Amino acid sequence: NAIEGDVSRETLMALSIHHATVPDPFNDLQLNTIAKHLIGFGMPQSSQKILEGGDNAITLVFANRITAGRKLSFNFSWPSCLVKNGKCTGKARLTIVSTPPLNYRYGSEFIRVNIDARLRQLQNNGSYKGRLDAVYAPESGRGGLYEKDQIEHAFKWSPIKVYEKKFLKGVGPSTDWRLDVEYLTRSGEEVPQSGIPFTAILTIFDPKGEEPVFNDMRQTLHSIGVQTV
């Protein structure tokens, strides 16, 4: 794989964070609530490891700008090699890095726009259900519905967010998925006319390292007109 031309700072940061690894001592559940304050999202890997993945994984990079009244949506089918008995298995990791407008006159609310990414699966009633949890989130869920919990555990208002989930038993009922990038503004705030730059990175892989996820999904992407490199 290769990256050509100008690469935004959001993309460089996202690649580094997306592929970072947490040292084993910090994977202890007792350290879950403080690990992020000590090591952030982990230790970055070498550029070679970041750019050269195995056949058991595929990484999609979305670099764009959010503009007022719009969002990014990318529909795709889950890799067929990871579909078992009608349910989607494997693991997914989603990272988004953005550069929202800042205004320090508002104190702790100086980040004025929240850019978020969601990986959602189509349900029988036609709606899409989010399937990933924020890393470091409590096992009970994404940290609660209260604003302070969303800020503490789900990176709300943070310019950097990382989500992941391993589907051990598989999730259904559909193989139709969608990646959404959307925004929320503070009261009275507007998205700049030039838009807000972001990079979202999604990796889908087989934790066992057995299934040909890359070739499987590449063929599916080609069938809908997506060019891959």
mmCIF file of all heavy atoms in Angstrom, residues 60-93:
data_model
loop_
_atom_site.group_PDB
_atom_site.id
_atom_site.type_symbol
_atom_site.label_atom_id
_atom_site.label_comp_id
_atom_site.label_asym_id
_atom_site.label_seq_id
_atom_site.Cartn_x
_atom_site.Cartn_y
_atom_site.Cartn_z
ATOM 1 N N LEU A 60 -10.228 0.895 5.666
ATOM 2 C CA LEU A 60 -10.797 1.918 4.798
ATOM 3 C C LEU A 60 -10.540 3.285 5.416
ATOM 4 O O LEU A 60 -10.777 3.479 6.617
ATOM 5 C CB LEU A 60 -12.298 1.703 4.622
ATOM 6 C CG LEU A 60 -12.745 0.310 4.154
ATOM 7 C CD1 LEU A 60 -14.263 0.241 4.081
ATOM 8 C CD2 LEU A 60 -12.124 -0.027 2.808
ATOM 9 N N VAL A 61 -10.041 4.219 4.617
ATOM 10 C CA VAL A 61 -9.727 5.565 5.092
ATOM 11 C C VAL A 61 -10.632 6.571 4.390
ATOM 12 O O VAL A 61 -10.699 6.601 3.163
ATOM 13 C CB VAL A 61 -8.249 5.914 4.832
ATOM 14 C CG1 VAL A 61 -7.940 7.320 5.339
ATOM 15 C CG2 VAL A 61 -7.322 4.891 5.494
ATOM 16 N N PHE A 62 -11.325 7.388 5.179
ATOM 17 C CA PHE A 62 -12.232 8.413 4.651
ATOM 18 C C PHE A 62 -11.717 9.775 5.107
ATOM 19 O O PHE A 62 -11.759 10.077 6.298
ATOM 20 C CB PHE A 62 -13.654 8.201 5.163
ATOM 21 C CG PHE A 62 -14.230 6.849 4.841
ATOM 22 C CD1 PHE A 62 -13.966 5.754 5.657
ATOM 23 C CD2 PHE A 62 -15.038 6.670 3.721
ATOM 24 C CE1 PHE A 62 -14.492 4.502 5.363
ATOM 25 C CE2 PHE A 62 -15.558 5.420 3.423
ATOM 26 C CZ PHE A 62 -15.290 4.335 4.243
ATOM 27 N N ALA A 63 -11.232 10.580 4.168
ATOM 28 C CA ALA A 63 -10.737 11.921 4.483
ATOM 29 C C ALA A 63 -11.586 12.932 3.733
ATOM 30 O O ALA A 63 -11.662 12.906 2.510
ATOM 31 C CB ALA A 63 -9.271 12.055 4.086
ATOM 32 N N ASN A 64 -12.225 13.831 4.489
ATOM 33 C CA ASN A 64 -13.149 14.763 3.850
ATOM 34 C C ASN A 64 -13.386 15.950 4.774
ATOM 35 O O ASN A 64 -12.673 16.128 5.767
ATOM 36 C CB ASN A 64 -14.467 14.050 3.526
ATOM 37 C CG ASN A 64 -15.144 14.611 2.295
ATOM 38 O OD1 ASN A 64 -15.151 15.820 2.081
ATOM 39 N ND2 ASN A 64 -15.708 13.731 1.465
ATOM 40 N N ARG A 65 -14.425 16.726 4.454
ATOM 41 C CA ARG A 65 -14.828 17.854 5.292
ATOM 42 C C ARG A 65 -16.323 17.778 5.559
ATOM 43 O O ARG A 65 -17.105 17.527 4.647
ATOM 44 C CB ARG A 65 -14.509 19.199 4.620
ATOM 45 C CG ARG A 65 -13.037 19.582 4.666
ATOM 46 C CD ARG A 65 -12.770 20.875 3.937
ATOM 47 N NE ARG A 65 -11.383 21.279 4.079
ATOM 48 C CZ ARG A 65 -10.932 22.125 4.994
ATOM 49 N NH1 ARG A 65 -11.805 22.696 5.823
ATOM 50 N NH2 ARG A 65 -9.660 22.431 5.080
ATOM 51 N N ILE A 66 -16.680 18.000 6.805
ATOM 52 C CA ILE A 66 -18.094 18.110 7.173
ATOM 53 C C ILE A 66 -18.541 19.543 6.896
ATOM 54 O O ILE A 66 -17.899 20.500 7.350
ATOM 55 C CB ILE A 66 -18.298 17.774 8.661
ATOM 56 C CG1 ILE A 66 -18.279 16.262 8.879
ATOM 57 C CG2 ILE A 66 -19.609 18.345 9.179
ATOM 58 C CD1 ILE A 66 -19.531 15.540 8.435
ATOM 59 N N THR A 67 -19.634 19.697 6.171
ATOM 60 C CA THR A 67 -20.188 21.026 5.917
ATOM 61 C C THR A 67 -21.577 21.116 6.527
ATOM 62 O O THR A 67 -22.193 20.094 6.869
ATOM 63 C CB THR A 67 -20.254 21.312 4.400
ATOM 64 O OG1 THR A 67 -20.986 20.259 3.754
ATOM 65 C CG2 THR A 67 -18.864 21.395 3.802
ATOM 66 N N ALA A 68 -22.078 22.325 6.662
ATOM 67 C CA ALA A 68 -23.356 22.560 7.347
ATOM 68 C C ALA A 68 -24.487 21.770 6.702
ATOM 69 O O ALA A 68 -24.659 21.785 5.477
ATOM 70 C CB ALA A 68 -23.676 24.050 7.325
ATOM 71 N N GLY A 69 -25.248 21.080 7.534
ATOM 72 C CA GLY A 69 -26.422 20.362 7.071
ATOM 73 C C GLY A 69 -26.145 19.052 6.358
ATOM 74 O O GLY A 69 -27.068 18.451 5.802
ATOM 75 N N ARG A 70 -24.903 18.584 6.378
ATOM 76 C CA ARG A 70 -24.579 17.367 5.647
ATOM 77 C C ARG A 70 -23.814 16.396 6.549
ATOM 78 O O ARG A 70 -23.248 16.770 7.570
ATOM 79 C CB ARG A 70 -23.755 17.683 4.395
ATOM 80 C CG ARG A 70 -24.388 18.720 3.496
ATOM 81 C CD ARG A 70 -23.668 18.844 2.169
ATOM 82 N NE ARG A 70 -23.898 17.656 1.345
ATOM 83 C CZ ARG A 70 -23.433 17.522 0.110
ATOM 84 N NH1 ARG A 70 -22.689 18.476 -0.429
ATOM 85 N NH2 ARG A 70 -23.689 16.442 -0.595
ATOM 86 N N LYS A 71 -23.789 15.133 6.132
ATOM 87 C CA LYS A 71 -22.987 14.129 6.807
ATOM 88 C C LYS A 71 -22.466 13.149 5.766
ATOM 89 O O LYS A 71 -22.940 13.133 4.623
ATOM 90 C CB LYS A 71 -23.807 13.383 7.868
ATOM 91 C CG LYS A 71 -24.850 12.412 7.313
ATOM 92 C CD LYS A 71 -25.498 11.627 8.449
ATOM 93 C CE LYS A 71 -26.462 10.562 7.913
ATOM 94 N NZ LYS A 71 -27.069 9.776 9.004
ATOM 95 N N LEU A 72 -21.479 12.354 6.147
ATOM 96 C CA LEU A 72 -20.952 11.330 5.260
ATOM 97 C C LEU A 72 -21.572 9.994 5.621
ATOM 98 O O LEU A 72 -21.621 9.618 6.794
ATOM 99 C CB LEU A 72 -19.433 11.241 5.374
ATOM 100 C CG LEU A 72 -18.734 10.146 4.543
ATOM 101 C CD1 LEU A 72 -17.367 10.619 4.067
ATOM 102 C CD2 LEU A 72 -18.563 8.852 5.360
ATOM 103 N N SER A 73 -22.058 9.258 4.622
ATOM 104 C CA SER A 73 -22.582 7.912 4.830
ATOM 105 C C SER A 73 -21.992 6.990 3.774
ATOM 106 O O SER A 73 -21.993 7.331 2.581
ATOM 107 C CB SER A 73 -24.111 7.888 4.746
ATOM 108 O OG SER A 73 -24.686 8.521 5.868
ATOM 109 N N PHE A 74 -21.486 5.848 4.211
ATOM 110 C CA PHE A 74 -20.917 4.868 3.290
ATOM 111 C C PHE A 74 -21.544 3.516 3.590
ATOM 112 O O PHE A 74 -21.349 2.950 4.666
ATOM 113 C CB PHE A 74 -19.399 4.796 3.446
ATOM 114 C CG PHE A 74 -18.749 3.792 2.530
ATOM 115 C CD1 PHE A 74 -18.613 4.058 1.176
ATOM 116 C CD2 PHE A 74 -18.281 2.582 3.021
ATOM 117 C CE1 PHE A 74 -18.021 3.126 0.325
ATOM 118 C CE2 PHE A 74 -17.694 1.653 2.179
ATOM 119 C CZ PHE A 74 -17.562 1.926 0.826
ATOM 120 N N ASN A 75 -22.324 3.013 2.640
ATOM 121 C CA ASN A 75 -22.982 1.718 2.800
ATOM 122 C C ASN A 75 -22.128 0.608 2.205
ATOM 123 O O ASN A 75 -21.551 0.772 1.133
ATOM 124 C CB ASN A 75 -24.349 1.736 2.119
ATOM 125 C CG ASN A 75 -25.316 2.712 2.773
ATOM 126 O OD1 ASN A 75 -25.208 3.925 2.581
ATOM 127 N ND2 ASN A 75 -26.247 2.204 3.545
ATOM 128 N N PHE A 76 -22.074 -0.513 2.899
ATOM 129 C CA PHE A 76 -21.291 -1.642 2.414
ATOM 130 C C PHE A 76 -21.818 -2.941 3.004
ATOM 131 O O PHE A 76 -22.621 -2.930 3.944
ATOM 132 C CB PHE A 76 -19.809 -1.468 2.771
ATOM 133 C CG PHE A 76 -19.526 -1.512 4.254
ATOM 134 C CD1 PHE A 76 -19.148 -2.696 4.878
ATOM 135 C CD2 PHE A 76 -19.638 -0.360 5.029
ATOM 136 C CE1 PHE A 76 -18.891 -2.737 6.241
ATOM 137 C CE2 PHE A 76 -19.389 -0.393 6.400
ATOM 138 C CZ PHE A 76 -19.003 -1.580 7.005
ATOM 139 N N SER A 77 -21.365 -4.049 2.451
ATOM 140 C CA SER A 77 -21.732 -5.371 2.954
ATOM 141 C C SER A 77 -20.584 -5.934 3.771
ATOM 142 O O SER A 77 -19.411 -5.779 3.406
ATOM 143 C CB SER A 77 -22.060 -6.322 1.802
ATOM 144 O OG SER A 77 -23.199 -5.876 1.085
ATOM 145 N N TRP A 78 -20.916 -6.594 4.860
ATOM 146 C CA TRP A 78 -19.903 -7.217 5.706
ATOM 147 C C TRP A 78 -19.184 -8.313 4.910
ATOM 148 O O TRP A 78 -19.808 -8.992 4.092
ATOM 149 C CB TRP A 78 -20.566 -7.830 6.933
ATOM 150 C CG TRP A 78 -19.653 -8.073 8.086
ATOM 151 C CD1 TRP A 78 -19.168 -9.267 8.525
ATOM 152 C CD2 TRP A 78 -19.129 -7.085 8.990
ATOM 153 N NE1 TRP A 78 -18.378 -9.094 9.625
ATOM 154 C CE2 TRP A 78 -18.327 -7.761 9.940
ATOM 155 C CE3 TRP A 78 -19.257 -5.703 9.078
ATOM 156 C CZ2 TRP A 78 -17.658 -7.101 10.967
ATOM 157 C CZ3 TRP A 78 -18.592 -5.043 10.097
ATOM 158 C CH2 TRP A 78 -17.802 -5.740 11.027
ATOM 159 N N PRO A 79 -17.872 -8.487 5.094
ATOM 160 C CA PRO A 79 -17.147 -9.530 4.359
ATOM 161 C C PRO A 79 -17.828 -10.890 4.518
ATOM 162 O O PRO A 79 -18.080 -11.338 5.643
ATOM 163 C CB PRO A 79 -15.764 -9.513 5.007
ATOM 164 C CG PRO A 79 -15.613 -8.126 5.558
ATOM 165 C CD PRO A 79 -16.987 -7.734 6.000
ATOM 166 N N SER A 80 -18.123 -11.543 3.399
ATOM 167 C CA SER A 80 -18.876 -12.799 3.448
ATOM 168 C C SER A 80 -18.145 -13.888 4.218
ATOM 169 O O SER A 80 -18.779 -14.760 4.813
ATOM 170 C CB SER A 80 -19.184 -13.283 2.025
ATOM 171 O OG SER A 80 -17.995 -13.486 1.288
ATOM 172 N N CYS A 81 -16.807 -13.840 4.229
ATOM 173 C CA CYS A 81 -16.044 -14.864 4.953
ATOM 174 C C CYS A 81 -16.226 -14.758 6.461
ATOM 175 O O CYS A 81 -15.918 -15.700 7.200
ATOM 176 C CB CYS A 81 -14.565 -14.787 4.591
ATOM 177 S SG CYS A 81 -13.769 -13.222 5.034
ATOM 178 N N LEU A 82 -16.742 -13.612 6.931
ATOM 179 C CA LEU A 82 -16.986 -13.419 8.365
ATOM 180 C C LEU A 82 -18.460 -13.563 8.725
ATOM 181 O O LEU A 82 -18.839 -13.304 9.862
ATOM 182 C CB LEU A 82 -16.490 -12.042 8.806
ATOM 183 C CG LEU A 82 -14.973 -11.813 8.765
ATOM 184 C CD1 LEU A 82 -14.639 -10.388 9.202
ATOM 185 C CD2 LEU A 82 -14.242 -12.821 9.639
ATOM 186 N N VAL A 83 -19.264 -13.959 7.767
ATOM 187 C CA VAL A 83 -20.690 -14.189 8.034
ATOM 188 C C VAL A 83 -20.896 -15.663 8.321
ATOM 189 O O VAL A 83 -20.657 -16.526 7.471
ATOM 190 C CB VAL A 83 -21.560 -13.754 6.843
ATOM 191 C CG1 VAL A 83 -23.035 -14.023 7.135
ATOM 192 C CG2 VAL A 83 -21.353 -12.277 6.530
ATOM 193 N N LYS A 84 -21.325 -15.967 9.540
ATOM 194 C CA LYS A 84 -21.529 -17.339 9.979
ATOM 195 C C LYS A 84 -22.979 -17.525 10.422
ATOM 196 O O LYS A 84 -23.446 -16.816 11.322
ATOM 197 C CB LYS A 84 -20.589 -17.686 11.148
ATOM 198 C CG LYS A 84 -19.131 -17.283 10.928
ATOM 199 C CD LYS A 84 -18.470 -18.063 9.805
ATOM 200 C CE LYS A 84 -16.995 -17.672 9.663
ATOM 201 N NZ LYS A 84 -16.329 -18.354 8.536
ATOM 202 N N ASN A 85 -23.670 -18.434 9.757
ATOM 203 C CA ASN A 85 -25.070 -18.717 10.105
ATOM 204 C C ASN A 85 -25.925 -17.447 10.086
ATOM 205 O O ASN A 85 -26.796 -17.244 10.949
ATOM 206 C CB ASN A 85 -25.159 -19.397 11.476
ATOM 207 C CG ASN A 85 -24.431 -20.723 11.515
ATOM 208 O OD1 ASN A 85 -24.499 -21.511 10.575
ATOM 209 N ND2 ASN A 85 -23.708 -20.974 12.603
ATOM 210 N N GLY A 86 -25.643 -16.585 9.114
ATOM 211 C CA GLY A 86 -26.435 -15.371 8.965
ATOM 212 C C GLY A 86 -26.048 -14.235 9.883
ATOM 213 O O GLY A 86 -26.667 -13.160 9.830
ATOM 214 N N LYS A 87 -25.024 -14.414 10.717
ATOM 215 C CA LYS A 87 -24.590 -13.370 11.629
ATOM 216 C C LYS A 87 -23.173 -12.918 11.291
ATOM 217 O O LYS A 87 -22.364 -13.708 10.807
ATOM 218 C CB LYS A 87 -24.658 -13.859 13.080
ATOM 219 C CG LYS A 87 -26.077 -14.103 13.577
ATOM 220 C CD LYS A 87 -26.085 -14.403 15.061
ATOM 221 C CE LYS A 87 -27.516 -14.548 15.590
ATOM 222 N NZ LYS A 87 -27.548 -14.777 17.054
ATOM 223 N N CYS A 88 -22.897 -11.644 11.566
ATOM 224 C CA CYS A 88 -21.594 -11.063 11.247
ATOM 225 C C CYS A 88 -20.635 -11.250 12.425
ATOM 226 O O CYS A 88 -20.950 -10.863 13.556
ATOM 227 C CB CYS A 88 -21.739 -9.580 10.935
ATOM 228 S SG CYS A 88 -22.818 -9.235 9.523
ATOM 229 N N THR A 89 -19.504 -11.838 12.144
ATOM 230 C CA THR A 89 -18.495 -12.083 13.176
ATOM 231 C C THR A 89 -17.258 -11.233 12.886
ATOM 232 O O THR A 89 -17.235 -10.419 11.973
ATOM 233 C CB THR A 89 -18.110 -13.564 13.221
ATOM 234 O OG1 THR A 89 -17.471 -13.928 11.979
ATOM 235 C CG2 THR A 89 -19.341 -14.449 13.409
ATOM 236 N N GLY A 90 -16.202 -11.454 13.670
ATOM 237 C CA GLY A 90 -14.958 -10.715 13.482
ATOM 238 C C GLY A 90 -14.823 -9.588 14.481
ATOM 239 O O GLY A 90 -15.426 -9.604 15.564
ATOM 240 N N LYS A 91 -14.044 -8.589 14.117
ATOM 241 C CA LYS A 91 -13.810 -7.438 14.987
ATOM 242 C C LYS A 91 -13.680 -6.193 14.136
ATOM 243 O O LYS A 91 -13.193 -6.238 13.005
ATOM 244 C CB LYS A 91 -12.533 -7.643 15.808
ATOM 245 C CG LYS A 91 -12.265 -6.547 16.833
ATOM 246 C CD LYS A 91 -11.034 -6.863 17.676
ATOM 247 C CE LYS A 91 -10.767 -5.762 18.695
ATOM 248 N NZ LYS A 91 -9.588 -6.067 19.556
ATOM 249 N N ALA A 92 -14.135 -5.066 14.671
ATOM 250 C CA ALA A 92 -14.049 -3.796 13.957
ATOM 251 C C ALA A 92 -13.471 -2.732 14.879
ATOM 252 O O ALA A 92 -13.725 -2.726 16.090
ATOM 253 C CB ALA A 92 -15.416 -3.364 13.453
ATOM 254 N N ARG A 93 -12.686 -1.843 14.285
ATOM 255 C CA ARG A 93 -12.108 -0.711 15.020
ATOM 256 C C ARG A 93 -12.297 0.538 14.167
ATOM 257 O O ARG A 93 -12.029 0.534 12.963
ATOM 258 C CB ARG A 93 -10.629 -0.949 15.303
ATOM 259 C CG ARG A 93 -9.958 0.169 16.143
ATOM 260 C CD ARG A 93 -8.518 -0.196 16.440
ATOM 261 N NE ARG A 93 -7.791 0.858 17.146
ATOM 262 C CZ ARG A 93 -7.705 0.957 18.464
ATOM 263 N NH1 ARG A 93 -8.311 0.056 19.241
ATOM 264 N NH2 ARG A 93 -7.009 1.932 19.038
#
